[in-house]
Amino acid sequence: MAQGMEAGLDRFFKPRSIAVIGASREAGKVGNAVCENLLRGTTKEILHARGFGGAIYPVNPRADEIMGLKCYSSIKDVPGEVDLAVVVVPARFVPTIMEEMGEKGTRAAVIISAGFSESGEEGARLEREVLRIASKQGIRIIGPNCLGVIRTHNHLNASFADMMPEPGPISFVSQSGALCTAVIQYSFEESIGFSNFVSIGNKADVDDADLLEYFASDEETQAIALYIESLKDGRRFMEAAKKTVPEKPVVILKSGRTEAGARATSSHTGSLSGSDAAYEAAFRQTGALRVYTIMELFDAAKALAYQPPAKGDRIAVVTNAGGPGVMAADQLYTRGLRLAELPKDVVKELDSFLPPAWSRSNPVDILGDATPERYGETLRVLSGCEEVDGIVVILTPQVMTRPMETARIVVESVRGVRKPVTAAWVGLSGRPSEDYLDSEGIPELTFPERAADAMAALVHRGRVLRRIQGGEWS
Amino acid sequence: MAQGMEAGLDRFFKPRSIAVIGASREAGKVGNAVCENLLRGTTKEILHARGFGGAIYPVNPRADEIMGLKCYSSIKDVPGEVDLAVVVVPARFVPTIMEEMGEKGTRAAVIISAGFSESGEEGARLEREVLRIASKQGIRIIGPNCLGVIRTHNHLNASFADMMPEPGPISFVSQSGALCTAVIQYSFEESIGFSNFVSIGNKADVDDADLLEYFASDEETQAIALYIESLKDGRRFMEAAKKTVPEKPVVILKSGRTEAGARATSSHTGSLSGSDAAYEAAFRQTGALRVYTIMELFDAAKALAYQPPAKGDRIAVVTNAGGPGVMAADQLYTRGLRLAELPKDVVKELDSFLPPAWSRSNPVDILGDATPERYGETLRVLSGCEEVDGIVVILTPQVMTRPMETARIVVESVRGVRKPVTAAWVGLSGRPSEDYLDSEGIPELTFPERAADAMAALVHRGRVLRRIQGGEWS
């Protein structure tokens, strides 16, 4: 066993050697996809795809070699140490595999195989048996019935997802494997990058609480996003969330929130999901942010990962079109935030360079012919204004609009300013400028409403931190 | 003047000849973009772009020829009739232009030029003057201060938008020009097609009410989407909406709905936007559907344009993954809809071909290894079930998922069924299958929550029609 791995879940995320139990040469098989993902980072043909740097040991008694790697009949035959085993054999073989892992000294298993408690009483019995052996042998388990584990910064793709997400600051934990694959695809469209990406399946052993605590001190994680269908131990989850939130922002999408959804959850996971009001109250107590749609989950996580918390709820909106500015104002208000009142001297300073027809109030409408420079100067003034706690920047396509130059100047103007900024480059075909904003840490969210929601997440975070720090900021 | 054009707004949408007053040879000028759009359908280099088929007359006293077309010094010099004039000259020249149009017998003007009531008192005076002449000469006006008018089915792009939207069944009317350009871009990503696309700017003459009435009987329009910042004559709007809704579904996004937004609107448009509760009540009375975000506006319009109204609120969800099914259930319930209770004989019929582990209730989870055929059979059974008023179909990427074949079989299975279907192909990289669903009239909306919202729009529509038809359906 590796030194320093005794505590925590490092074996899952920073293993030095991995065995794939149930490795396969046959394309289309899960045991084949896992090997490809470990070796190359993805099953797809992608330039510069890069695989896991440590040792990879395929295990399959019916093969000598898989993808150029020597194949072993049992994990016990592997010559070196094995920090992590990825298990894809049929459920009924898993207990034996666990015994062999114990003998080998492997202490972490990602069990991808399905056919456990999610499939009925017989599967539940098998799951208990696997847990019993794991406990005896000191093995921690992620899964069973999951997609696997990805950590981007060390190119570890111990999953059968067909793509590797881009590296980034968000750790995502999902109780739905199907959602994981969908989210990877979505993340490319929305420029969302992940540090860790975990499908936890049945949560037989390692659960949301364990992962929260682990990611709380993970140097690559800036925000944690959770998709939860049910919690087995609410108290334990709350304790973990309470410990994590002061370190890292946590965003939670809990499905089964309505009566209809809860009934559906119970049929799906076999566990009662409990009263939603109780979850709501519990989440609030921990300081985690609860959201209600997949889009909100990632919009909030993106904002929280990149931007500082807001010191208050007074927000300025800068826009080159009235309507979208009003939409942002509507949404900020709906989320309980306020439009910052601009002090007279700030209005005067803006007057000195803005054309006479500018709105002269917040939303700061700097008009359809706004140049990048006009955005820059306006943001410089608002960044320095004490009455402004955060800024939503909107750009719409007009005859004179230069999306890329404006993005560059926005990034320059707010560099080093300890106030959150979110952006909506509304329907601008110049995707490069949107990606540029994201890559420079300014979350770009396409629509004014979404940019306002993201700002609300940062105001929430500020409130939570002030509460935790006992008014240090207030 | 053309025969049969006396009534209504046909001159704007079905002109046979158009003059561009302020046409320009200089790239980057609005008068240049309008000419290109009329001639080629778009200013961008696009294969198979197609322009307006009627006569196009550039008017500019300082040019002999523009883009190969003979140029005239005044509209009065144009040899043939001119049904529609697109005006892009500076505001101060517009009164004279209106007089000349009157002499020429042109009875419709899209005034793109800005510098009217939106820019202060002097502009407001100019706008009143233009209106006075228009009224005297019998000219109807769209604008001023707008992007222009697009009708896709006759390749009419009388605007300076840099792209032509795809043809389709939605008529969109926007009080924000900036939003128009943004929406065209968005429409490509979301496969939204338009029949008419109108930027109405200051609404000096033709307003939302006129366009509602016109699109109510437009054979190319299946749904009407409105973006409104303010209404000058609420009573007139309500009358028009009441007349339109029985013919065509109407979806409204009204900004300035909150206190903060209303204050911002007033600063932006110079008109008081009135109490939002009053708007809310008025919209409800007309049977129009009010939505709150840009995304909802187009998701609802897409569903309403393609799918029949629901005869009730009992919805079935078909999915190959539990979690997304629960999310759909949550959102349906939140929108006031119900999960259909499956009768015993339907469960029995599904039992006959679904694997034993299927959910045996609604959401109908047909499991991660669901084949296209399994989707097809399930949809066939649910389509025939009297207790089901609408179906939300969800596909998530799993090892065996075949997005395109599944899309094809979904389309086949519900063909001819008079029950609405919406779909969420969650994060499937196979974009072609999403586009295929849309092209076959099944709105695809990426996430379960959005597919549920779209279904809610169809249930709303059904309720409204039943109310109108006095219980004929109930």
Side-chain angles (χ1 to χ4, degrees):
Chain A
M1 200 199 311
Q3 279 291 341
M5 281 204 177
E6 290 74 5
L9 306 177
D10 267 353
R11 285 181 203 89
F12 288 100
F13 298 100
K14 297 171 184 172
R16 293 170 313 175
S17 51
I18 303 177
V20 181
I21 304 181
S24 169
R25 272 188 292 219
E26 205 179 315
K29 290 254 184 187
V30 172
N32 183 270
V34 171
C35 289
E36 276 220 57
N37 279 340
L38 283 173
L39 263 167
R40 307 200 309 115
T42 169
T43 59
K44 293 213 168 156
E45 291 304 324
I46 288 169
L47 215 62
H48 310 306
R50 198 178 138 187
F52 174 64
I56 303 170
Y57 304 111
V59 174
N60 180 340
R62 288 188 307 275
D64 293 329
E65 181 244 282
I66 288 178
M67 298 177 198
L69 296 172
K70 182 171 164 42
C71 191
Y72 300 88
S73 344
S74 156
I75 192 172
K76 293 192 292 181
D77 301 337
V78 172
E81 285 183 353
V82 177
D83 289 336
L84 172 67
V86 183
V87 180
V88 293
V89 297
R92 65 184 184 283
F93 300 130
V94 175
T96 311
I97 298 293
M98 299 301 294
E99 294 283 8
E100 292 178 356
M101 282 177 57
E103 289 175 45
K104 178 66 186 170
T106 300
R107 298 281 176 267
V110 172
I111 304 183
I112 287 175
S113 324
F116 291 92
S117 62
E118 84 284 359
S119 69
E121 193 34 57
E122 174 56 21
R125 199 198 52 72
L126 204 55
E127 190 168 306
R128 285 194 299 273
E129 172 67 3
V130 166
L131 271 181
R132 192 188 58 75
I133 302 168
S135 162
K136 186 183 74 183
Q137 305 279 16
I139 303 170
R140 298 301 308 264
I141 293 171
I142 288 182
N145 183 32
C146 74
L147 194 79
V149 166
I150 297 172
R151 182 172 170 91
T152 55
H153 293 86
N154 54 358
H155 308 280
L156 169 68
N157 186 351
S159 83
F160 67 97
D162 67 348
M163 294 281 276
M164 179 100 164
E166 293 288 324
I170 300 171
S171 283
F172 174 49
V173 179
S174 172
Q175 198 173 347
S176 163
L179 191 63
C180 284
T181 325
V183 161
I184 294 177
Q185 179 58 32
Y186 179 61
S187 71
F188 294 128
E189 293 164 27
E190 295 280 342
S191 302
I192 301 166
F194 294 95
S195 39
N196 304 283
F197 199 93
V198 188
S199 163
I200 48 177
N202 296 358
K203 305 197 271 198
D205 174 22
V206 172
D207 65 3
D208 315 85
D210 298 310
L211 290 166
L212 274 179
E213 287 176 356
Y214 182 71
F215 295 139
S217 54
D218 175 31
E219 71 281 10
E220 303 288 0
T221 300
Q222 299 303 327
I224 303 170
L226 302 179
Y227 169 71
I228 297 173
E229 292 176 350
S230 59
L231 290 173
K232 285 174 185 167
D233 186 346
R235 189 178 304 266
R236 160 98 178 91
F237 177 83
M238 275 195 58
E239 278 163 15
K242 268 191 187 154
K243 265 190 263 177
T244 305
V245 166
E247 306 298 324
K248 306 277 165 76
V250 176
V251 193
I252 300 175
L253 176 61
K254 160 84 178 67
S255 68
R257 66 186 152 86
T258 67
E259 201 190 299
R263 241 182 294 127
T265 298
S266 126
S267 130
H268 166 46
T269 63
S271 64
L272 274 173
S273 57
S275 132
D276 192 68
Y279 277 112
E280 185 84 31
F283 294 149
R284 188 173 306 123
Q285 268 186 50
T286 63
L289 175 67
R290 187 181 189 184
V291 295
Y292 301 94
T293 68
I294 300 170
M295 199 177 282
E296 283 179 280
L297 181 67
F298 291 101
D299 287 357
K302 197 166 145 181
L304 289 163
Y306 286 112
Q307 287 288 311
K311 294 188 182 173
D313 60 1
R314 301 163 305 170
I315 310 304
V317 177
V318 180
T319 177
N320 68 343
V326 175
M327 283 183 253
D330 275 338
Q331 193 66 14
L332 289 168
Y333 188 87
T334 302
R335 294 280 177 188
L337 277 49
R338 290 185 288 163
L339 283 181
E341 301 248 3
L342 303 183
K344 276 187 192 150
D345 59 320
V346 166
V347 173
K348 206 172 157 193
E349 196 175 352
L350 291 170
D351 266 338
S352 73
F353 60 85
L354 289 177
W358 81 279
S359 61
R360 306 199 79 249
S361 66
N362 182 16
V364 181
D365 184 349
I366 59 174
L367 307 178
D369 62 351
T371 55
E373 293 69 31
R374 203 185 290 169
Y375 269 90
E377 278 296 278
T378 305
L379 286 171
R380 195 187 50 73
V381 172
L382 294 174
S383 299
C385 171
E386 292 233 338
E387 281 77 3
V388 170
D389 298 314
I391 308 173
V392 175
V393 190
I394 297 169
L395 186 75
T396 66
Q398 311 236 11
V399 184
M400 342 270 293
T401 303
R402 287 183 281 152
M404 194 60 192
E405 288 95 320
T406 308
R408 285 222 180 81
I409 234 165
V410 167
V411 167
E412 284 305 316
S413 312
V414 301
R415 186 161 282 159
V417 174
R418 300 258 325 137
K419 260 174 212 181
V421 177
T422 64
W425 255 219
V426 188
L428 279 159
S429 44
R431 282 270 162 202
S433 65
E434 303 187 348
D435 290 347
Y436 176 77
L437 286 167
D438 285 324
S439 71
E440 293 291 322
I442 295 183
E444 192 288 319
L445 297 148
T446 312
F447 289 125
E449 305 94 335
R450 287 173 62 193
D453 282 354
M455 183 55 71
L458 295 161
V459 170
H460 174 271
R461 180 70 184 157
R463 279 199 193 113
V464 166
L465 288 180
R466 283 196 301 282
R467 204 177 67 195
I468 291 167
Q469 295 167 358
E472 191 182 319
W473 284 5
S474 58
Chain B
M1 200 202 311
Q3 279 290 341
M5 282 201 174
E6 290 75 8
L9 306 178
D10 266 352
R11 285 181 204 89
F12 288 102
F13 298 100
K14 299 170 183 173
R16 293 170 313 177
S17 51
I18 302 175
V20 181
I21 304 180
S24 170
R25 272 189 293 218
E26 204 179 314
K29 289 255 183 187
V30 172
N32 182 270
V34 171
C35 288
E36 276 219 58
N37 279 338
L38 283 172
L39 264 168
R40 306 199 311 116
T42 168
T43 57
K44 293 212 168 157
E45 290 305 323
I46 289 169
L47 215 62
H48 310 305
R50 198 177 138 189
F52 174 64
I56 302 170
Y57 305 110
V59 174
N60 180 340
R62 286 188 309 275
D64 293 329
E65 181 245 282
I66 288 178
M67 297 177 198
L69 298 172
K70 183 170 165 36
C71 192
Y72 299 89
S73 351
S74 157
I75 191 171
K76 293 191 291 179
D77 301 336
V78 172
E81 285 184 353
V82 176
D83 290 337
L84 172 66
V86 183
V87 181
V88 295
V89 297
R92 67 184 183 280
F93 301 131
V94 176
T96 311
I97 298 293
M98 299 301 293
E99 295 282 7
E100 292 178 356
M101 283 177 57
E103 290 175 45
K104 176 67 188 171
T106 299
R107 296 283 175 267
V110 171
I111 304 182
I112 287 176
S113 323
F116 292 92
S117 62
E118 84 285 359
S119 69
E121 194 33 56
E122 174 56 22
R125 199 198 51 73
L126 204 55
E127 191 168 304
R128 285 193 300 273
E129 172 68 5
V130 166
L131 271 180
R132 193 188 57 76
I133 303 168
S135 161
K136 185 184 74 183
Q137 306 279 18
I139 303 169
R140 299 298 310 263
I141 292 171
I142 288 183
N145 183 31
C146 74
L147 195 78
V149 166
I150 297 173
R151 182 172 170 91
T152 56
H153 293 85
N154 55 357
H155 308 279
L156 170 68
N157 187 351
S159 82
F160 67 97
D162 67 349
M163 294 281 276
M164 179 100 164
E166 293 289 325
I170 300 171
S171 282
F172 174 49
V173 180
S174 173
Q175 197 171 346
S176 162
L179 192 63
C180 284
T181 325
V183 161
I184 295 177
Q185 179 59 32
Y186 178 62
S187 72
F188 295 127
E189 293 164 28
E190 296 279 341
S191 300
I192 302 166
F194 293 94
S195 38
N196 303 284
F197 199 95
V198 188
S199 162
I200 49 177
N202 295 359
K203 306 198 270 198
D205 174 22
V206 172
D207 66 3
D208 315 85
D210 299 309
L211 291 166
L212 275 178
E213 287 176 357
Y214 182 72
F215 295 138
S217 55
D218 174 30
E219 69 282 9
E220 304 289 1
T221 299
Q222 300 304 326
I224 304 169
L226 302 180
Y227 169 71
I228 297 172
E229 292 176 351
S230 60
L231 290 173
K232 283 174 188 168
D233 185 345
R235 189 178 303 268
R236 161 97 178 91
F237 178 83
M238 275 196 59
E239 278 163 15
K242 268 190 185 153
K243 265 191 264 177
T244 304
V245 166
E247 307 298 323
K248 304 277 166 75
V250 176
V251 193
I252 301 174
L253 175 61
K254 161 82 177 70
S255 69
R257 64 185 154 86
T258 66
E259 199 191 302
R263 240 180 296 128
T265 298
S266 126
S267 129
H268 166 46
T269 64
S271 64
L272 273 172
S273 56
S275 133
D276 192 68
Y279 277 113
E280 185 85 32
F283 295 149
R284 186 173 305 125
Q285 268 186 50
T286 63
L289 175 66
R290 186 181 189 184
V291 294
Y292 301 94
T293 68
I294 300 170
M295 200 177 282
E296 282 179 282
L297 181 67
F298 291 101
D299 286 357
K302 197 166 146 182
L304 289 163
Y306 286 112
Q307 288 288 311
K311 293 187 181 170
D313 61 0
R314 301 162 306 170
I315 310 303
V317 177
V318 180
T319 178
N320 69 344
V326 175
M327 282 183 255
D330 275 338
Q331 192 66 13
L332 289 169
Y333 188 88
T334 302
R335 293 281 179 188
L337 278 50
R338 288 184 290 163
L339 283 182
E341 299 248 1
L342 303 184
K344 277 190 189 145
D345 59 321
V346 166
V347 173
K348 206 172 157 192
E349 197 176 351
L350 291 170
D351 266 338
S352 73
F353 60 85
L354 289 177
W358 80 281
S359 61
R360 307 197 79 248
S361 66
N362 182 17
V364 182
D365 183 349
I366 59 174
L367 308 178
D369 62 351
T371 56
E373 293 70 29
R374 203 185 290 168
Y375 269 91
E377 278 298 278
T378 305
L379 285 172
R380 195 187 50 73
V381 172
L382 294 174
S383 298
C385 171
E386 293 232 340
E387 279 77 4
V388 170
D389 297 315
I391 307 174
V392 175
V393 190
I394 296 167
L395 187 75
T396 65
Q398 311 236 12
V399 183
M400 342 269 294
T401 303
R402 287 182 281 153
M404 194 60 191
E405 288 96 319
T406 308
R408 284 222 182 80
I409 235 164
V410 166
V411 168
E412 284 305 316
S413 312
V414 302
R415 186 162 281 160
V417 174
R418 300 263 318 139
K419 259 175 213 181
V421 177
T422 64
W425 256 221
V426 189
L428 279 157
S429 44
R431 281 269 163 202
S433 65
E434 303 188 347
D435 290 347
Y436 177 77
L437 286 167
D438 284 323
S439 71
E440 294 291 321
I442 295 184
E444 193 288 319
L445 297 148
T446 312
F447 290 125
E449 304 93 336
R450 286 173 62 192
D453 282 354
M455 183 57 71
L458 295 161
V459 170
H460 174 270
R461 180 70 183 156
R463 277 198 194 114
V464 166
L465 288 180
R466 283 196 300 284
R467 204 176 68 193
I468 290 168
Q469 295 167 359
E472 192 181 318
W473 285 4
S474 56

